[in-house]
Amino acid sequence: MRVHQVMTRNPITVTEDTSLREAALLMLENRISGLPVVDKFGKLVGIITEGDFVRRAEIGTQTKRARWLAFFVGPGRAATEFVHEQGRKVGEVMNSRPVTVTELTSLEEVVRLMEKHNIKRLPVVRGMQLLGIVTRTDLLRTVASLDREVPDPTADDDHLQQRIVRAIEQNAWRPISFGIRVRNGIVQIDGIITDERSRQASVVAAENIEGVKEVHDHLCWVEPMSGLSLLSPEDERAATRS
């Protein structure tokens, strides 16, 4: 999927001259954690987020250093911190070099950028003209809206079995050997694993196939060196009851 399919269009914005109080109220009233900053032509010039309100003189959280340490920091950095912690306008505290994406950026790239820069939102631009914003909330909303209940005309048991086998065997974590049985959309996974994490991955791979109703885990864990083996939790419970 691409950014244009999930982004929020016409996001709430502020300008560099907007007061910090007004920006804070906008965030609170609209339940958002960041605002793109634009000029009078709609060109993106920065972004202000909740993080910019953390170190503030008004609430006593500004950076405090011993005098000897301030000497090593240098006057330039100290001046920048002073402006960021005591400035009263958005333009004085905003990030003027935000990470951006375009309409055609893939969601995979969006997630990579969010993780790399530890950020929650990315302005969407064409050139530097602001078109929208994509946030973690947009990604969450997209996942929640995906409809997995649409009938699949090829979702008979044979097709399901083939798809599950393909979904599992293409991964490095696949069981050493496994078998898939499907009856009326209910899946039974048998086989041997040497790492418990392969169990959950195998179940998830099967659950993600359209048309699957239930997945039952019969994968047996085997310790390669000793040969010690353990039944799946599901089989262990069944054995206890019998």
Side-chain angles (χ1 to χ4, degrees):
M1 296 183 74
R2 304 286 176 179
V3 165
H4 69 88
Q5 296 172 280
V6 305
M7 71 181 189
T8 298
R9 300 176 185 274
N10 301 315
I12 300 169
T13 62
V14 290
T15 69
E16 292 178 272
D17 291 328
T18 302
S19 70
L20 286 188
R21 181 178 183 278
E22 183 180 349
L25 288 173
L26 280 172
M27 289 187 199
L28 291 171
E29 290 169 358
N30 293 279
R31 299 182 179 181
I32 53 180
S33 57
L35 294 165
V37 186
V38 297
D39 63 15
K40 62 181 180 180
F41 302 108
K43 178 183 175 182
L44 182 72
V45 295
I47 192 166
I48 185 168
T49 71
E50 289 174 331
D52 295 311
F53 292 86
V54 173
R55 291 287 185 182
R56 292 295 302 171
E58 299 96 319
I59 55 176
T61 57
Q62 70 271 34
T63 304
K64 298 172 183 176
R65 296 190 181 92
R67 289 189 177 182
W68 67 269
L69 187 56
F71 174 80
F72 291 101
V73 169
R77 179 173 172 181
T80 298
E81 289 178 350
F82 178 85
V83 172
H84 195 274
E85 295 167 354
Q86 303 206 29
R88 298 301 177 92
K89 295 180 180 180
V90 166
E92 294 167 337
V93 304
M94 71 181 188
N95 175 3
S96 60
R97 300 180 65 183
V99 181
T100 64
V101 293
T102 71
E103 302 163 273
L104 299 180
T105 302
S106 69
L107 295 193
E108 180 182 5
E109 177 66 6
V110 166
V111 172
R112 188 191 71 81
L113 289 171
M114 286 182 174
E115 292 179 339
K116 177 181 178 180
H117 298 281
N118 192 27
I119 53 180
K120 299 178 181 179
R121 66 200 57 76
L122 293 164
V124 184
V125 296
R126 184 182 297 155
M128 284 308 290
Q129 197 73 22
L130 181 69
L131 301 178
I133 192 165
V134 59
T135 68
R136 290 183 182 179
T137 301
D138 292 317
L139 298 178
L140 177 64
R141 187 180 297 115
T142 301
V143 171
S145 67
L146 293 177
D147 186 2
R148 299 185 69 245
E149 301 302 323
V150 177
D152 183 347
T154 64
D156 58 77
D157 290 345
D158 288 341
H159 280 95
L160 290 178
Q161 181 186 33
Q162 294 168 15
R163 292 172 186 172
I164 295 167
V165 169
R166 287 198 298 268
I168 292 176
E169 67 182 3
Q170 65 183 342
N171 297 286
W173 48 256
R174 64 187 179 275
I176 293 175
S177 62
F178 68 95
I180 303 295
R181 292 173 289 125
V182 184
R183 184 178 178 83
N184 297 325
I186 299 175
V187 179
Q188 312 286 338
I189 304 180
D190 300 282
I192 297 172
I193 57 173
T194 57
D195 189 316
E196 270 296 326
R197 291 169 291 189
S198 297
R199 182 187 309 284
Q200 185 176 17
S202 299
V203 171
V204 168
E207 289 175 336
N208 284 344
I209 302 299
E210 194 73 44
V212 168
K213 299 175 182 177
E214 294 179 22
V215 178
H216 294 279
D217 163 29
H218 305 294
L219 292 166
C220 178
W221 176 81
V222 176
E223 205 288 314
M225 299 298 293
S226 66
L228 175 68
S229 63
L230 294 174
L231 297 174
S232 72
E234 184 173 341
D235 288 343
E236 192 67 49
R237 288 192 297 269
T240 302
R241 288 194 297 268
S242 60

